[in-house]
Amino acid sequence: MASMRKASAAVAFAASAALLLAACSSDDAGNDPTDAPTGGESSEEKEPVTLTWWHNSVAGDNGQNDLGDYWQSVADAFTAENPHVTIEIEQIQNEDLQRTRIPLALQSGDAPDLFQAWGGGELATQVESGYLMDLSETLADDVTRLGGSVAPWQYEGSTYGLPFQFGVEGIWYRESLFEEAGITEEPATMAELNEAVQALKDADITPIAVGAADGWPAAHWWYNFALRSCPQDVVASAGTTFDFSDPCWVEAGTQLEEFIGTNPFQDQYISTVAQTGATSSAGLVATGEAAMELMGHWNVFVYEGFTDGSDEAIAALHDDLGWFPMPATEGGAGDPSAALGGGDGFACYVDAPPECAEFLSFIVSDENQAGAAEAAGILPVAPAAAEAVTNPVLVELSQVAGNAAYVQLWLDTSFGTNVGGAMNDGIVGIFAGTGDAQDVVDLMTAAALTQ
Amino acid sequence: MTALEASGTGKGPVADAKASAAGSTPVTPAQHNARKDNRRKWIEIAIFVGPALLMFLAFVVFPMVMAARYSLYKWDSRQPFELAEFIGLDNYTRALFGGTDPETQEIFWKAYAEPFWNAVGNNAQIIALSMLVQLPIAMLIALVLNRKFPGRSSVRLIIFAPYVLAEVTAGLMWLMLLDPRGPVTQMVQGLGLPTPPQGWLEDPTWGFWTFFFIVSWKYIGLAIILFLAGLAGVPEELQEAASIDGASWWQVQWRINIPLIGPTVRVWAFLSIIGSIQLFDMAWVLNKGGSTNQYATIATLMVDTGTQRNDGGYASALAIIMFIFSMAAALLYLTLVMRRDNAARARKGA
């Protein structure tokens, strides 16, 4: 009995010693991504290859996962053509995937071969760290075919990922509520938007919903004012130079302050989230309590989530849902037709087998882009797949994107998590009344100086 | 001749033989056993303490040393650490007073030192309010519950329930209750009373107080249970004797019960202070310390800069500062307040 106890104590001792050693060596493992067990070098033709693929399409509350199912069918089609390839898919919730799973996997050196990439500052950080495969030469044809939307996935002239969808943002609205308030035309200028806001208030309708508790939905208002007041080169270069000395950045905040001063938003907007529950900003629009919301192309699916899911309910929603681009402001050096947008893409890990690039090319092929638009309602990047978009609002949205003077990537994505986060915090301060236009620029400048 | 003498003589030669054998080696049987016991004792200590000590080194001391190292670097926490740049104590000066460069001090103060001191202030306010608000309420409830009345155990259970609830569950529950169109808002408005203009939790002035209310609701159960346990240890004879001498219920509480559970109160205060410094879960679940940091704590600020802003070096510096605060608070409290209890215990032990 006594010897049993001693033996188990010795086992425990050894186990804890092993843990300590593991903890000590984890640093080294993280520093050397090249020793990852991915079979990169021995790429003899037809040698069995396994690709791991992480994407963010998870099943919703009602269990449906159109895009996830479509990705599975794309993987099946690829492996049917290339029997030596096996594809292992992992579906991971968006914030977990972007903020935790991918960064940790990349640092550990045991990363998935193909994974979701949102472009901009985050991609730049990953390239600087040597995590991503350069696809410029292997996928040169695809880069040309997909056109300008690839830019956020490029860094210093090289391409490190390809988008499968890209869309611009604008103001979604309920046509019936506009009618009720006697608004006959979509506002094209800020003066017209202010008139519409007043008309809706007179009709006892909440004019605009915003989910400021989540930060970024409020921040997007400021991004749009910045896009209208700053010249294109100032906005475009800010993501690399982090120079915010142009007075147009403060002007954006001043315009936002003026707009908030007209009380266009719902009560307690600082306490309102964007997408969860009927009292969220999307819920308020979906249930007809508020008339407008500034949001990206994905919001039509968020609104659909608040219906009972029946075809009639979704059709009725689509019938009553309108969309117009951010109105033009008075003055300002920005082009009034410029638009903000963003998208989703995939990138290959630096040590992934060459089949990763082949598969990525397959995913964004014209045929599969059209298929994804039909099956899951995405906004495809490939021009040849544009006809597959049938939702009239999304068709309008694509036309606006196509006719825009230029499309700027979401500013927080473009600036990266540090400066982008500082910017969003500052903007929420304006919404809460605890900060002003100058604070946003100061917080961004301070954050940029520390990185 | 006694039996003893007889046995003594009978054993004589054997004893002599043993003695002579012992004399030839320097170790007596007694010494030999002592050394064996000593070695045995150390082996036992090593076996029993070793694993725990190694775990402690691996999961507490090692990460702490690493955090201290990271805190001296400019490091984007998504990048490998070789790309980090050594910047000395800049992360610390940035948090404490906005850095040393006069050109950037103003914006660094606004962007870093101000949120830091705001968080420290929130932590300090929660500590002070725990002592001023939670302690008297918990004491009063404990004294009342210490009397025998029907349904006492169910009341105790109900009061302790929030403490047992998982932090995330409780946080989500309050988020739903305090939603802009949630039941609490509707009830208060139904009574014709005003609600905070920007919502219970996000309003820049009301947010902190709502948060403190939720934290008190969550943790007051622990104080009450601890005080009740302390009260159970107060000898009934003392209370009876006081009553016979004509002391009122209040006098019994004030002169006998409360002084006698002093050590329990001091242990609770210690746990409460350390818990307040490290307060994180509830503040994070409710909305990451609030959209304008109205109820941010040092811990939420640290996690926010580390995981959302990826400023690994600065977040590590905040972690070290928080460690120093906790350590200082613990040592001060142990030497100034609890020395008496420890000394009393030592006397009792001796």
Side-chain angles (χ1 to χ4, degrees), chain A residues 34-122:
Chain A
T34 51
D35 62 11
T38 36
E41 314 104 48
S42 58
S43 59
E44 246 181 65
E45 280 295 304
K46 306 299 170 198
E47 185 159 319
V49 164
T50 302
L51 287 178
T52 46
W53 180 18
W54 288 5
H55 65 67
N56 71 350
S57 305
V58 294
D61 286 347
N62 52 9
Q64 247 178 289
N65 185 2
D66 293 340
L67 188 56
D69 295 344
Y70 186 73
W71 290 145
Q72 184 62 55
S73 72
V74 171
D76 293 343
F78 185 77
T79 48
E81 275 176 37
N82 304 276
H84 68 294
V85 179
T86 315
I87 296 173
E88 288 174 2
I89 300 179
E90 221 179 303
Q91 308 176 347
I92 304 166
Q93 190 277 334
N94 186 65
E95 272 70 29
D96 283 345
L97 182 64
Q98 184 174 16
R99 294 268 190 242
T100 318
R101 296 290 303 275
I102 290 176
L104 289 179
L106 290 173
Q107 276 195 328
S108 75
D110 184 16
D113 297 307
L114 183 67
F115 52 90
Q116 194 110 9
W118 293 262
E122 180 184 70

Side-chain angles (χ1 to χ4, degrees), chain A residues 9 107 271 289 417 439 442, chain B residues 47 77 82 110 181 198 310:
Chain A
Q107 276 195 328
S271 295
E289 294 231 16
T417 49
D439 286 345
D442 287 348
Chain B
I47 288 173
S77 57
E82 303 87 282
K110 198 188 272 181
R181 289 156 192 246
Q198 287 290 8
N310 300 113

Side-chain angles (χ1 to χ4, degrees), chain B residues 2-66:
Chain B
T2 62
L4 189 71
E5 279 170 290
S7 74
T9 49
K11 261 189 179 174
V14 186
D16 285 350
K18 264 194 184 167
S20 64
S24 64
T25 55
V27 183
T28 66
Q31 277 174 325
H32 180 74
N33 277 343
R35 185 173 289 184
K36 210 170 150 191
D37 280 353
N38 211 21
R39 201 170 58 200
R40 196 189 150 88
K41 193 175 85 187
W42 280 108
I43 292 174
E44 275 173 5
I45 289 176
I47 288 173
F48 288 120
V49 178
L53 188 69
L54 277 178
M55 298 286 252
F56 183 73
L57 287 173
F59 295 110
V60 178
V61 177
F62 174 71
M64 227 150 64
V65 172
M66 292 311 284

Side-chain angles (χ1 to χ4, degrees), chain A residues 9 16 20 23 31 107 125 128-129 131 213 268 270-271 279 289 417-418 422 432 434 439 442-443 446-447 450, chain B residues 47 54 58 62 74 76-80 82 94 108 110-112 179-181 198-199 202 287 291-292 308-310:
Chain A
S16 53
L20 179 67
N31 293 341
Q107 276 195 328
T125 308
E128 282 168 12
S129 308
Y131 293 147
Q268 305 188 18
I270 292 287
S271 295
T279 58
E289 294 231 16
T417 49
N418 199 352
T434 56
D439 286 345
D442 287 348
L443 296 189
T450 67
Chain B
I47 288 173
L54 277 178
F62 174 71
K74 177 190 278 194
D76 182 326
S77 57
R78 290 163 304 175
Q79 295 195 320
E82 303 87 282
R94 183 145 56 103
F108 274 12
K110 198 188 272 181
Y112 293 98
D179 186 272
R181 289 156 192 246
Q198 287 290 8
E202 297 299 329
N287 192 13
S291 43
T292 53
Q308 312 292 305
R309 301 272 295 269
N310 300 113

Side-chain angles (χ1 to χ4, degrees), chain A residues 256-291:
Chain A
L256 176 61
E257 282 169 347
E258 276 167 23
F259 185 57
I260 294 173
T262 67
N263 285 322
F265 301 113
Q266 83 278 17
D267 283 344
Q268 305 188 18
Y269 50 79
I270 292 287
S271 295
T272 305
V273 295
Q275 297 176 345
T276 321
T279 58
S280 65
S281 59
L284 291 176
V285 176
T287 54
E289 294 231 16

